[in-house]
Amino acid sequence: MLILRQLFDQAVIHAYCLFTRLRQLPSIMRERTPRFLGDEVLRPADGTRYAIVVKYAGFGVAQDFLDLLDALRRAGVNTIVVCNGELRPEERSKVAALAHRIMTRENIGRDMGAYRAATLHLQRSGLRPSRMLYFNDSVIYLAGTGLDTLVARLAEEGDYDITGSFENHELVHHIGTYAFSISGTVFYDPAVLRFWERYRPYDLRPHAIHQGELAFSAVTQKRGYRKDVVYSADRLALKLDAMDLPTLVSTLRYLPFGPFRSYDIKALLEGPTKTVRLLSKVGEKKRRAAAPPAALASGTPTLSAYRAARASAAQEAAPAAEGGRFVTETLVNHMMGMIVDGSQAHRGAAIFHRVMDSPLIKKDLLMRGLFVEHDCARFLDHLPAATREHIMRELINRGRLVYLRGWRAFQVRHGLI
């Protein structure tokens, strides 16, 4: 029965994707050479670092989007806002105050379609960036030092040709395209240019992932470009390893909801705790077997006796310290195992934010079923109330899978939207 259901689901998905491609084919063919409804340079460029920032006009311009533009401006990055659809006049004026350039197009292919159109147009117009940053509005950008740090890292012209904010090991390893950057060499690489020319901007999430994100990563991997990730699992693990056990246990509240938190901490720590006790018993036996320094036993405070006593105390403390590290590392291993195998920006959203000050919050955290409302309220509890309320409304209004029914639930469950 399960196999039949899976076959039926795959048939429905295939039919839906085929129908969507056929329906969108005329606009895709017209978009072979990118077309823009408007292209206005608002102020002269300052330097050679640029950012393509995509905004879907239908959702309006929220404060977090303006905060991103302001952070880019402060970092000396020339921001090119690519609007999928026309902004309202009052929203356009707010964006214009912070941007270097505004390009307007039809909403064909959403984020990847806008990336493609702007990249090809800028390449053909002769723009020569030393660094090109890419952002879209699928995430909430939290203003503060975290956002400034992220922008600085992405704008850095250092050892890496490509820098991502997060990485993903689902399907194959790739870097998330909601916030990343490339060097000028990558921007003008003929192989990368061919990728953008061949990419067809269908408004299909599976297409954007497989033929967009994954294909882009494959091209750049084949070209041998060096890649780095700002919020990487290895850096997170080192920060967790450095915590004392009470602090580490307190971060468990930032793990994803559901099966990811359905474990017994007592059972989890039981094995390592037994090891600590065993090591302590071995240390106690060694201590009792060692005769106390004669001079210390007689009460004579000689320097050699003092040194011997300190050495003995250190020997007793060593097993407990080693055992404590074993407990901590076991818990860290368990926590990291919940984060690393899929989309780290989703599974690790809360813990990366609280431990590494990541300023990125994916807007579909609740919709994907990884967190629920009180989880988000907890890991955002340090923010000003007004900011937190705005973010919570953004997340909640997109719904959760448990509330969805029918065709929309099918689409979310199978990654069609």
Side-chain angles (χ1 to χ4, degrees):
M1 188 65 181
L2 179 60
I3 295 176
L4 290 176
R5 178 57 184 267
Q6 290 174 341
L7 290 174
F8 174 78
D9 288 352
Q10 288 303 314
V12 172
I13 293 169
H14 178 74
Y16 170 77
C17 292
L18 179 61
F19 173 77
T20 302
R21 285 190 175 95
L22 290 174
R23 180 170 53 83
Q24 295 178 0
L25 186 59
S27 62
I28 296 298
M29 296 305 293
R30 291 195 302 270
E31 190 68 11
R32 292 184 68 177
T33 298
R35 300 174 305 145
F36 291 90
L37 304 174
D39 183 2
E40 182 182 3
V41 177
L42 302 164
R43 54 184 53 83
D46 181 14
T48 58
R49 297 183 299 174
Y50 290 81
I52 293 172
V53 182
V54 177
K55 182 75 193 81
Y56 172 53
F59 288 155
V61 176
Q63 183 58 47
D64 72 285
F65 186 80
L66 298 176
D67 290 337
L68 169 64
L69 300 185
D70 195 31
L72 288 166
R73 181 187 57 80
R74 290 196 304 271
V77 176
N78 302 296
T79 302
I80 302 169
V81 177
V82 182
C83 299
N84 283 341
E86 293 275 7
L87 292 175
R88 292 193 294 270
E90 63 274 15
E91 293 178 332
R92 183 182 174 84
S93 64
K94 292 179 182 178
V95 171
L98 299 169
H100 154 65
R101 183 173 181 176
I102 297 179
M103 304 170 72
T104 306
R105 63 188 292 273
E106 292 182 54
N107 185 24
I108 299 174
R110 294 194 285 186
D111 302 324
M112 289 301 292
Y115 284 166
R116 172 187 180 272
T119 299
L120 289 177
H121 182 77
L122 295 171
Q123 285 175 333
R124 291 166 183 171
S125 66
L127 185 71
R128 293 283 176 179
S130 59
R131 196 80 183 177
M132 180 62 81
L133 287 65
Y134 291 83
F135 299 89
N136 66 38
D137 62 349
S138 68
V139 298
I140 297 169
Y141 298 93
L142 299 178
T145 57
L147 184 57
D148 290 334
T149 299
L150 173 62
V151 168
R153 287 288 306 278
L154 295 181
E156 192 175 87
E157 300 170 28
D159 296 331
Y160 294 97
D161 304 294
I162 300 172
T163 303
S165 50
F166 284 94
E167 55 197 334
N168 191 331
H169 291 278
E170 195 172 6
L171 303 175
V172 297
H173 175 261
H174 61 283
I175 286 175
T177 55
Y178 35 85
F180 73 105
S181 70
I182 60 176
S183 67
T185 301
V186 178
F187 186 79
Y188 263 99
D189 186 319
V192 176
L193 178 59
R194 281 194 300 273
F195 159 78
W196 286 119
E197 287 175 338
R198 294 173 180 174
Y199 178 73
R200 297 292 174 256
Y202 290 105
D203 189 1
L204 278 169
R205 186 171 180 269
H207 177 83
I209 292 173
H210 289 271
Q211 305 304 319
E213 274 192 345
L214 300 186
F216 179 80
S217 281
V219 169
T220 54
Q221 185 74 20
K222 189 178 295 185
R223 298 292 287 170
Y225 288 119
R226 296 161 298 176
K227 302 178 182 180
D228 191 23
V229 173
V230 179
Y231 306 108
S232 62
D234 57 307
R235 293 186 176 107
L236 174 63
L238 290 176
K239 286 187 174 292
L240 295 176
D241 278 338
M243 293 179 180
D244 57 59
L245 189 57
T247 303
L248 182 62
V249 169
S250 72
T251 64
L252 290 172
R253 69 207 296 251
Y254 305 134
L255 292 178
F257 180 72
F260 297 107
R261 288 195 307 211
S262 297
Y263 53 81
D264 183 350
I265 295 177
K266 181 179 178 182
L268 174 70
L269 300 179
E270 190 175 46
T273 302
K274 287 181 178 178
T275 303
V276 175
R277 291 171 183 163
L278 178 62
L279 291 171
S280 297
K281 287 180 180 179
V282 171
E284 178 66 15
K285 288 181 179 179
K286 288 182 178 179
R287 185 189 67 77
R288 289 177 180 176
L296 191 62
S298 65
T300 306
T302 64
L303 183 59
S304 59
Y306 175 71
R307 286 174 177 169
R310 285 199 61 179
S312 178
Q315 191 175 29
E316 291 178 34
E322 285 298 318
R325 278 196 293 272
F326 189 25
V327 174
T328 298
E329 289 177 8
T330 298
L331 187 52
V332 171
N333 293 344
H334 183 74
M335 296 169 70
M336 294 304 301
M338 300 177 185
I339 297 169
V340 298
D341 291 337
S343 170
Q344 294 173 17
H346 284 96
R347 296 185 177 193
I351 200 164
F352 274 109
H353 172 61
R354 294 306 295 258
V355 175
M356 294 185 67
D357 200 20
S358 162
L360 306 180
I361 306 296
K362 292 288 287 182
K363 293 181 178 179
D364 59 356
L365 285 185
L366 295 183
M367 189 174 74
R368 302 290 171 201
L370 293 167
F371 294 86
V372 291
E373 290 87 342
H374 66 272
D375 293 319
C376 297
R378 282 172 179 165
F379 82 79
L380 298 171
D381 62 3
H382 65 298
L383 298 177
T387 302
R388 183 174 62 253
E389 287 301 317
H390 165 74
I391 296 172
M392 291 302 304
R393 276 298 106 203
E394 177 75 40
L395 299 176
I396 293 169
N397 289 345
R398 288 177 176 246
R400 281 201 278 127
L401 185 58
V402 69
Y403 301 136
L404 301 179
R405 297 290 183 269
W407 174 236
R408 183 166 175 80
F410 182 91
Q411 289 179 294
V412 173
R413 188 175 291 111
H414 293 281
L416 296 177
I417 57 175

